[in-house]
Coordinates of all heavy atoms in Angstrom, one line a residue:
M14 N 31.3 41.7 106.4 CA 31.5 43.0 106.8 C 31.3 43.9 105.6 O 31.9 43.7 104.5 CB 32.8 43.2 107.4 CG 33.0 44.5 108.1 SD 34.5 44.7 109.0 CE 34.9 43.2 109.7
E15 N 30.5 45.0 105.7 CA 30.3 45.9 104.6 C 31.0 47.3 104.9 O 31.0 47.7 106.1 CB 28.8 46.1 104.5 CG 28.4 47.0 103.4 CD 26.8 47.2 103.3 OE1 26.1 46.4 103.9 OE2 26.4 48.2 102.7
V16 N 31.5 47.9 103.9 CA 32.2 49.2 104.0 C 31.4 50.2 103.3 O 31.1 50.0 102.1 CB 33.7 49.1 103.5 CG1 34.3 50.5 103.6 CG2 34.5 48.1 104.3
T17 N 31.0 51.3 103.9 CA 30.3 52.4 103.3 C 31.2 53.6 103.2 O 32.0 53.8 104.1 CB 29.0 52.7 104.0 OG1 29.3 53.1 105.3 CG2 28.1 51.5 104.1
E18 N 31.0 54.4 102.2 CA 31.7 55.6 102.0 C 30.8 56.8 102.2 O 29.6 56.7 101.9 CB 32.2 55.8 100.5 CG 33.5 55.1 100.3 CD 34.1 55.5 98.9 OE1 33.5 56.4 98.2 OE2 35.1 55.0 98.5
K19 N 31.4 57.8 102.9 CA 30.6 59.1 103.1 C 31.5 60.2 102.5 O 32.7 60.2 102.7 CB 30.4 59.3 104.6 CG 29.3 58.6 105.2 CD 29.2 59.0 106.6 CE 27.9 58.7 107.3 NZ 27.9 59.1 108.7
N20 N 30.8 61.1 101.8 CA 31.5 62.3 101.4 C 31.1 63.5 102.3 O 29.9 63.7 102.5 CB 31.0 62.7 100.0 CG 31.5 61.7 99.0 OD1 32.6 61.1 99.1 ND2 30.7 61.4 97.9
V21 N 32.1 64.1 102.9 CA 31.8 65.2 103.9 C 32.4 66.5 103.2 O 33.6 66.6 102.9 CB 32.6 64.9 105.2 CG1 32.3 66.1 106.2 CG2 32.1 63.6 105.8
L22 N 31.5 67.4 103.0 CA 31.8 68.7 102.4 C 32.8 69.5 103.3 O 32.5 69.7 104.5 CB 30.6 69.6 102.2 CG 30.8 70.9 101.5 CD1 31.3 70.8 100.1 CD2 29.5 71.7 101.6
I23 N 34.0 69.9 102.8 CA 34.9 70.6 103.5 C 35.2 72.0 103.0 O 35.7 72.9 103.7 CB 36.3 69.9 103.7 CG1 36.9 69.6 102.4 CG2 36.0 68.6 104.5 CD1 38.4 69.3 102.5
A24 N 35.0 72.3 101.7 CA 35.3 73.6 101.1 C 34.4 73.9 99.9 O 33.9 73.0 99.3 CB 36.7 73.6 100.7
K25 N 34.2 75.2 99.7 CA 33.4 75.6 98.5 C 34.2 76.6 97.7 O 35.0 77.4 98.3 CB 32.1 76.3 99.0 CG 31.1 75.3 99.5 CD 29.8 76.0 99.7 CE 28.7 74.9 99.9 NZ 27.4 75.3 99.4
R26 N 34.1 76.6 96.4 CA 34.8 77.5 95.5 C 34.2 78.9 95.6 O 33.0 79.1 95.7 CB 34.7 77.0 94.1 CG 35.7 77.8 93.2 CD 35.6 77.2 91.8 NE 34.4 77.6 91.1 CZ 34.2 78.7 90.5 NH1 35.1 79.7 90.5 NH2 33.0 78.9 89.9
V27 N 35.1 79.9 95.6 CA 34.6 81.3 95.6 C 35.0 81.9 94.2 O 36.1 82.0 93.9 CB 35.4 82.1 96.7 CG1 34.9 83.5 96.7 CG2 35.2 81.4 98.1
P28 N 33.9 82.2 93.4 CA 34.2 82.8 92.1 C 34.8 84.2 92.2 O 34.6 84.8 93.2 CB 32.9 82.8 91.4 CG 31.9 82.1 92.3 CD 32.5 82.0 93.7
P29 N 35.6 84.6 91.2 CA 36.0 83.9 90.0 C 37.3 83.1 90.3 O 38.0 83.4 91.3 CB 36.2 85.1 89.1 CG 36.7 86.2 89.9 CD 36.0 86.0 91.2
G30 N 37.6 82.2 89.4 CA 38.8 81.5 89.5 C 38.9 80.3 90.5 O 37.8 79.7 90.8
D31 N 40.1 80.1 91.0 CA 40.3 78.9 91.8 C 40.5 79.2 93.2 O 41.4 78.8 93.9 CB 41.5 78.2 91.2 CG 41.8 76.8 91.8 OD1 40.8 76.1 92.2 OD2 42.9 76.4 91.9
S32 N 39.6 80.0 93.8 CA 39.7 80.4 95.2 C 38.7 79.6 96.0 O 37.6 79.3 95.5 CB 39.4 81.9 95.4 OG 40.4 82.7 94.7
W33 N 39.1 79.2 97.2 CA 38.3 78.3 98.0 C 38.2 78.8 99.5 O 39.1 79.4 100.0 CB 38.8 76.9 98.0 CG 38.9 76.3 96.7 CD1 39.8 76.5 95.7 CD2 37.9 75.3 96.1 NE1 39.5 75.8 94.6 CE2 38.4 75.0 94.8 CE3 36.8 74.7 96.6 CZ2 37.7 74.2 94.0 CZ3 36.1 73.9 95.8 CH2 36.5 73.6 94.5
I34 N 37.1 78.5 100.1 CA 36.9 78.7 101.6 C 36.5 77.4 102.2 O 35.6 76.7 101.8 CB 35.8 79.8 101.8 CG1 36.2 81.1 101.3 CG2 35.4 79.8 103.3 CD1 35.1 82.2 101.5
L35 N 37.2 77.1 103.4 CA 36.8 76.0 104.1 C 35.5 76.2 104.8 O 35.2 77.3 105.3 CB 37.9 75.7 105.2 CG 39.3 75.2 104.7 CD1 40.2 75.1 105.8 CD2 39.2 73.9 104.0
V36 N 34.6 75.2 104.8 CA 33.3 75.3 105.3 C 33.2 75.7 106.8 O 32.4 76.6 107.2 CB 32.5 74.0 105.0 CG1 31.1 74.1 105.7 CG2 32.3 73.8 103.6
N37 N 34.0 75.1 107.6 CA 33.9 75.3 109.0 C 35.0 76.3 109.5 O 35.3 76.4 110.7 CB 34.1 74.0 109.8 CG 32.9 73.1 109.6 OD1 31.8 73.5 109.4 ND2 33.2 71.8 109.6
D38 N 35.5 77.2 108.6 CA 36.5 78.2 109.0 C 35.8 79.4 109.5 O 35.1 80.1 108.8 CB 37.4 78.5 107.8 CG 38.5 79.4 108.2 OD1 38.8 79.6 109.4 OD2 39.2 79.9 107.3
E39 N 36.0 79.7 110.8 CA 35.3 80.9 111.4 C 35.9 82.2 110.8 O 35.2 83.2 110.7 CB 35.5 80.9 112.9 CG 34.8 79.7 113.5 CD 35.5 79.3 114.8 OE1 36.5 79.9 115.2 OE2 35.0 78.3 115.4
K40 N 37.1 82.2 110.4 CA 37.8 83.4 109.9 C 37.4 83.7 108.4 O 37.7 84.7 107.9 CB 39.3 83.3 110.0 CG 39.7 83.2 111.5 CD 41.2 83.1 111.6 CE 41.7 82.9 113.0 NZ 43.1 82.7 113.1
K41 N 36.9 82.7 107.8 CA 36.5 82.8 106.3 C 37.7 83.2 105.4 O 37.6 84.1 104.6 CB 35.3 83.7 106.1 CG 34.1 83.3 106.9 CD 33.5 82.1 106.3 CE 32.2 81.7 107.1 NZ 31.8 80.4 106.8
I42 N 38.8 82.6 105.7 CA 40.0 82.8 104.9 C 39.8 82.3 103.5 O 39.5 81.1 103.3 CB 41.3 82.2 105.5 CG1 41.5 82.8 106.9 CG2 42.5 82.4 104.6 CD1 42.6 82.1 107.7
V43 N 40.1 83.1 102.5 CA 40.0 82.7 101.1 C 41.4 82.2 100.6 O 42.3 82.9 100.7 CB 39.5 83.8 100.2 CG1 39.5 83.4 98.7 CG2 38.1 84.3 100.6
H44 N 41.4 80.9 100.3 CA 42.7 80.3 99.8 C 42.7 80.4 98.3 O 41.8 80.2 97.6 CB 42.7 78.8 100.2 CG 42.6 78.6 101.7 ND1 43.7 78.8 102.5 CD2 41.6 78.3 102.5 CE1 43.3 78.6 103.8 NE2 42.0 78.3 103.8
K45 N 43.9 80.8 97.8 CA 44.0 81.2 96.4 C 44.1 80.0 95.4 O 44.1 80.2 94.2 CB 45.3 82.1 96.2 CG 45.2 83.3 97.1 CD 45.9 84.4 96.4 CE 45.8 85.7 97.3 NZ 44.6 86.4 97.2
S46 N 44.2 78.8 95.9 CA 44.2 77.6 95.0 C 43.7 76.4 95.7 O 43.6 76.4 97.0 CB 45.7 77.3 94.5 OG 46.4 76.8 95.6
L47 N 43.4 75.4 95.0 CA 42.9 74.1 95.5 C 44.0 73.5 96.4 O 43.7 73.0 97.5 CB 42.5 73.2 94.4 CG 41.9 71.8 94.8 CD1 40.7 72.0 95.7 CD2 41.6 71.0 93.6
T48 N 45.3 73.6 96.0 CA 46.4 73.0 96.7 C 46.5 73.7 98.1 O 46.7 73.0 99.1 CB 47.7 73.2 95.9 OG1 47.5 72.6 94.7 CG2 48.9 72.5 96.7
E49 N 46.4 75.0 98.1 CA 46.4 75.7 99.4 C 45.3 75.3 100.3 O 45.4 75.2 101.5 CB 46.4 77.2 99.2 CG 47.7 77.8 98.7 CD 47.6 79.4 98.6 OE1 46.7 80.0 99.2 OE2 48.4 79.9 97.8
T50 N 44.1 75.1 99.7 CA 43.0 74.7 100.5 C 43.2 73.3 101.1 O 42.9 73.1 102.3 CB 41.7 74.7 99.6 OG1 41.6 75.9 98.9 CG2 40.5 74.4 100.4
L51 N 43.7 72.4 100.3 CA 44.0 71.1 100.9 C 45.0 71.1 102.0 O 44.9 70.5 103.0 CB 44.5 70.1 99.7 CG 43.4 69.8 98.7 CD1 44.1 69.1 97.5 CD2 42.3 68.9 99.3
E52 N 46.0 71.9 101.8 CA 47.1 72.1 102.8 C 46.5 72.7 104.1 O 46.8 72.2 105.2 CB 48.2 72.9 102.3 CG 49.3 73.2 103.3 CD 50.0 71.9 103.8 OE1 50.0 70.9 103.1 OE2 50.7 72.0 104.9
A53 N 45.6 73.7 104.0 CA 45.0 74.3 105.1 C 44.1 73.3 105.9 O 44.1 73.3 107.1 CB 44.2 75.5 104.7
Y54 N 43.4 72.5 105.1 CA 42.5 71.5 105.8 C 43.4 70.5 106.5 O 43.1 70.1 107.6 CB 41.6 70.8 104.8 CG 40.6 69.9 105.5 CD1 39.5 70.4 106.1 CD2 40.8 68.5 105.5 CE1 38.7 69.6 106.8 CE2 40.0 67.7 106.2 CZ 38.9 68.2 106.8 OH 38.0 67.4 107.5
F55 N 44.5 70.0 105.9 CA 45.3 69.0 106.5 C 46.0 69.6 107.8 O 46.1 68.9 108.8 CB 46.4 68.6 105.5 CG 47.4 67.6 106.2 CD1 47.0 66.3 106.4 CD2 48.7 68.0 106.6 CE1 47.9 65.4 107.0 CE2 49.5 67.1 107.2 CZ 49.1 65.8 107.4
Q56 N 46.4 70.8 107.7 CA 47.0 71.5 108.9 C 46.0 71.6 110.1 O 46.3 71.5 111.2 CB 47.5 72.9 108.6 CG 48.7 72.9 107.6 CD 49.9 72.1 108.2 OE1 50.2 72.2 109.4 NE2 50.7 71.5 107.4
K57 N 44.7 71.8 109.7 CA 43.6 71.9 110.7 C 43.3 70.6 111.4 O 43.2 70.5 112.6 CB 42.4 72.5 110.0 CG 41.2 72.7 110.9 CD 40.1 73.3 110.1 CE 38.9 73.5 111.0 NZ 37.8 74.1 110.3
V58 N 43.2 69.5 110.6 CA 42.8 68.2 111.2 C 43.9 67.3 111.4 O 43.8 66.4 112.3 CB 41.7 67.5 110.3 CG1 40.5 68.3 110.2 CG2 42.3 67.2 108.9
N59 N 45.0 67.4 110.7 CA 46.2 66.6 110.9 C 46.0 65.1 110.8 O 46.5 64.3 111.6 CB 46.9 66.9 112.3 CG 48.4 66.6 112.3 OD1 49.0 66.5 111.2 ND2 48.9 66.4 113.4
K60 N 45.1 64.8 109.8 CA 44.8 63.4 109.5 C 44.9 63.2 108.0 O 44.4 64.1 107.3 CB 43.4 63.0 110.0 CG 43.3 62.8 111.4 CD 41.8 62.3 111.7 CE 41.6 62.0 113.1 NZ 40.2 61.6 113.3
P61 N 45.3 62.1 107.5 CA 45.3 61.9 106.1 C 43.9 61.4 105.6 O 43.3 60.6 106.3 CB 46.3 60.7 105.8 CG 46.3 60.0 107.1 CD 46.1 61.0 108.2
Y62 N 43.4 62.0 104.5 CA 42.1 61.7 104.0 C 42.3 61.6 102.5 O 43.2 62.1 101.8 CB 41.1 62.8 104.2 CG 40.5 62.7 105.6 CD1 40.9 63.7 106.6 CD2 39.6 61.8 106.0 CE1 40.4 63.7 107.8 CE2 39.1 61.8 107.3 CZ 39.4 62.7 108.2 OH 38.9 62.7 109.5
E63 N 41.3 60.9 101.9 CA 41.2 60.9 100.4 C 40.2 62.0 100.1 O 39.3 62.3 100.9 CB 40.5 59.6 99.9 CG 41.4 58.4 100.1 CD 42.6 58.3 99.2 OE1 42.5 58.9 98.0 OE2 43.7 57.8 99.6
F64 N 40.4 62.7 99.0 CA 39.5 63.8 98.6 C 38.7 63.5 97.4 O 39.1 62.8 96.5 CB 40.4 65.1 98.4 CG 41.0 65.5 99.7 CD1 42.3 65.1 100.0 CD2 40.4 66.4 100.6 CE1 43.0 65.5 101.1 CE2 41.0 66.8 101.7 CZ 42.3 66.4 102.0
R65 N 37.6 64.2 97.3 CA 36.8 64.1 96.0 C 36.4 65.5 95.7 O 35.9 66.3 96.5 CB 35.5 63.3 96.3 CG 34.6 63.2 95.1 CD 33.6 62.0 95.2 NE 34.3 60.8 95.0 CZ 34.1 59.7 95.7 NH1 33.1 59.7 96.6 NH2 34.7 58.6 95.5
L66 N 36.5 65.9 94.4 CA 36.2 67.2 93.9 C 35.0 67.1 93.0 O 34.9 66.3 92.1 CB 37.4 67.7 93.1 CG 37.3 69.1 92.5 CD1 37.1 70.2 93.5 CD2 38.5 69.4 91.6
A67 N 34.1 68.0 93.2 CA 32.9 68.1 92.4 C 33.0 69.5 91.7 O 32.5 70.5 92.2 CB 31.6 68.1 93.2
P68 N 33.7 69.5 90.5 CA 34.1 70.8 89.9 C 32.9 71.6 89.4 O 32.9 72.8 89.5 CB 35.0 70.4 88.8 CG 34.8 69.0 88.5 CD 34.3 68.4 89.8
L69 N 31.8 70.9 88.9 CA 30.7 71.6 88.4 C 29.9 72.3 89.6 O 29.2 73.3 89.4 CB 29.8 70.7 87.6 CG 30.4 70.1 86.3 CD1 29.4 69.2 85.7 CD2 30.9 71.2 85.4
K70 N 29.9 71.7 90.7 CA 29.2 72.3 91.9 C 30.1 73.2 92.7 O 29.7 73.9 93.5 CB 28.7 71.1 92.8 CG 27.6 70.3 92.2 CD 27.3 69.0 92.9 CE 26.8 69.1 94.3 NZ 26.5 67.9 94.9
G71 N 31.4 73.1 92.4 CA 32.4 74.0 93.2 C 32.5 73.5 94.6 O 32.6 74.4 95.5
E72 N 32.6 72.2 94.8 CA 32.7 71.7 96.2 C 33.8 70.7 96.3 O 34.1 69.9 95.3 CB 31.3 71.0 96.5 CG 30.2 72.0 96.6 CD 28.9 71.4 96.9 OE1 28.7 70.1 96.7 OE2 28.0 72.1 97.3
L73 N 34.4 70.6 97.5 CA 35.5 69.7 97.8 C 35.1 68.9 99.0 O 34.6 69.5 100.0 CB 36.8 70.5 98.1 CG 38.0 69.7 98.5 CD1 38.5 68.8 97.4 CD2 39.1 70.6 98.9
Y74 N 35.2 67.6 98.9 CA 34.8 66.7 100.0 C 36.0 65.8 100.5 O 36.9 65.6 99.7 CB 33.8 65.7 99.4 CG 32.5 66.3 98.9 CD1 32.4 66.7 97.6 CD2 31.4 66.5 99.7 CE1 31.3 67.3 97.1 CE2 30.3 67.1 99.3 CZ 30.2 67.5 97.9 OH 29.0 68.0 97.4
I75 N 35.9 65.4 101.7 CA 36.8 64.3 102.2 C 36.0 63.0 102.1 O 34.7 63.0 102.2 CB 37.3 64.5 103.6 CG1 36.2 64.6 104.6 CG2 38.3 65.6 103.7 CD1 36.7 64.5 106.1
I76 N 36.6 61.9 101.9 CA 36.0 60.6 101.8 C 36.3 59.8 103.1 O 37.4 59.6 103.4 CB 36.4 59.8 100.6 CG1 36.2 60.6 99.3 CG2 35.7 58.4 100.5 CD1 36.9 60.0 98.1
T77 N 35.3 59.5 103.8 CA 35.4 58.7 105.0 C 34.8 57.4 104.8 O 33.8 57.2 104.0 CB 34.8 59.4 106.3 OG1 33.4 59.5 106.1 CG2 35.4 60.8 106.5
T78 N 35.3 56.4 105.4 CA 34.8 55.0 105.3 C 34.3 54.5 106.7 O 34.9 54.9 107.7 CB 35.8 54.0 104.7 OG1 36.9 54.0 105.5 CG2 36.1 54.4 103.3
E79 N 33.3 53.7 106.7 CA 32.8 53.1 107.9 C 32.5 51.6 107.7 O 31.9 51.3 106.7 CB 31.5 53.8 108.3 CG 30.9 53.4 109.6 CD 29.7 54.2 109.9 OE1 29.8 55.4 109.9 OE2 28.7 53.6 110.2
E80 N 33.0 50.8 108.6 CA 32.7 49.3 108.4 C 31.5 49.0 109.2 O 31.3 49.4 110.4 CB 33.9 48.5 109.0 CG 35.2 48.7 108.2 CD 36.3 47.8 108.7 OE1 36.1 47.2 109.8 OE2 37.3 47.8 108.1
I81 N 30.6 48.3 108.6 CA 29.3 47.9 109.2 C 29.3 46.4 109.4 O 29.5 45.7 108.5 CB 28.1 48.3 108.3 CG1 28.1 49.8 108.1 CG2 26.8 47.8 108.9 CD1 27.0 50.3 107.1
V82 N 29.3 46.1 110.7 CA 29.3 44.6 111.0 C 27.8 44.2 111.1 O 27.1 44.8 111.9 CB 30.0 44.4 112.3 CG1 30.0 42.9 112.7 CG2 31.5 44.9 112.2
P83 N 27.4 43.2 110.3 CA 26.0 42.8 110.4 C 25.7 42.1 111.8 O 26.6 41.5 112.3 CB 25.9 41.8 109.3 CG 27.2 41.4 108.9 CD 28.2 42.5 109.4
E84 N 24.5 42.2 112.2 CA 24.1 41.6 113.5 C 24.1 40.0 113.2 O 23.6 39.6 112.2 CB 22.8 42.0 113.9 CG 22.8 43.5 114.4 CD 21.4 43.8 115.0 OE1 20.7 43.0 115.4 OE2 21.1 45.0 114.9
P85 N 24.5 39.3 114.2 CA 24.4 37.8 114.0 C 23.0 37.4 114.0 O 22.1 38.1 114.6 CB 25.2 37.3 115.2 CG 25.2 38.4 116.2 CD 25.2 39.6 115.4
P86 N 22.6 36.3 113.3 CA 21.2 35.9 113.3 C 20.8 35.5 114.7 O 21.5 35.0 115.5 CB 21.2 34.7 112.4 CG 22.6 34.3 112.2 CD 23.5 35.5 112.5
K87 N 19.5 35.8 115.0 CA 19.0 35.4 116.3 C 18.9 33.9 116.4 O 18.6 33.2 115.4 CB 17.6 36.0 116.5 CG 17.6 37.5 116.7 CD 16.2 37.9 117.0 CE 16.2 39.4 117.3 NZ 14.8 39.9 117.7
K88 N 19.1 33.4 117.6 CA 19.0 32.0 117.9 C 17.8 31.8 118.8 O 17.6 32.5 119.7 CB 20.2 31.4 118.5 CG 21.4 31.5 117.6 CD 22.6 30.9 118.2 CE 23.8 30.9 117.2 NZ 25.0 30.3 117.8
F89 N 17.0 30.7 118.5 CA 15.8 30.4 119.3 C 16.0 29.1 119.9 O 16.3 28.1 119.2 CB 14.6 30.6 118.5 CG 14.4 31.9 117.9 CD1 14.8 32.3 116.7 CD2 13.7 32.9 118.7 CE1 14.6 33.5 116.2 CE2 13.5 34.2 118.2 CZ 14.0 34.5 116.9
N90 N 15.6 29.0 121.2 CA 15.7 27.7 121.9 C 14.7 26.7 121.4 O 15.0 25.5 121.4 CB 15.5 27.9 123.4 CG 16.0 26.8 124.2 OD1 16.9 26.0 123.8 ND2 15.4 26.6 125.4
I91 N 13.6 27.1 120.9 CA 12.6 26.2 120.4 C 13.0 25.4 119.2 O 12.5 24.3 118.9 CB 11.2 26.9 120.1 CG1 11.4 27.9 119.0 CG2 10.7 27.5 121.4 CD1 10.1 28.5 118.6
Y92 N 14.0 25.9 118.5 CA 14.5 25.1 117.4 C 15.8 24.3 117.7 O 16.4 23.7 116.8 CB 14.9 26.1 116.2 CG 13.7 26.9 115.7 CD1 13.7 28.3 115.8 CD2 12.6 26.3 115.2 CE1 12.6 29.0 115.4 CE2 11.5 27.0 114.7 CZ 11.5 28.4 114.8 OH 10.5 29.1 114.4
G93 N 16.2 24.4 118.9 CA 17.4 23.6 119.3 C 18.7 24.4 119.0 O 19.8 23.8 118.9
D94 N 18.6 25.7 118.7 CA 19.8 26.4 118.4 C 20.7 26.7 119.6 O 21.9 26.8 119.4 CB 19.4 27.8 117.8 CG 18.7 27.7 116.4 OD1 18.8 26.7 115.8 OD2 18.1 28.7 116.0
L95 N 20.2 26.8 120.7 CA 21.0 27.1 121.9 C 21.6 25.9 122.6 O 21.3 24.8 122.5 CB 20.1 27.9 122.9 CG 19.6 29.2 122.4 CD1 18.7 29.9 123.5 CD2 20.7 30.2 122.0

């Protein structure tokens, strides 16, 4: 079984300083700190996530994981597999 990670963008920094806006927020509320942004996102989705910050790009991501189950090998009757 293989586990893959996906980074999903949830917030962008609003210059100057440490202000952030959630990407899917219709009200476009500017949060005054990264901590407030994380709390606002948690209150919105109510699920625990791991986070990744890209400070040079001014982006905040959640990390989601997905398990990939490989397909079993095909069996052919001509080889006596079945």
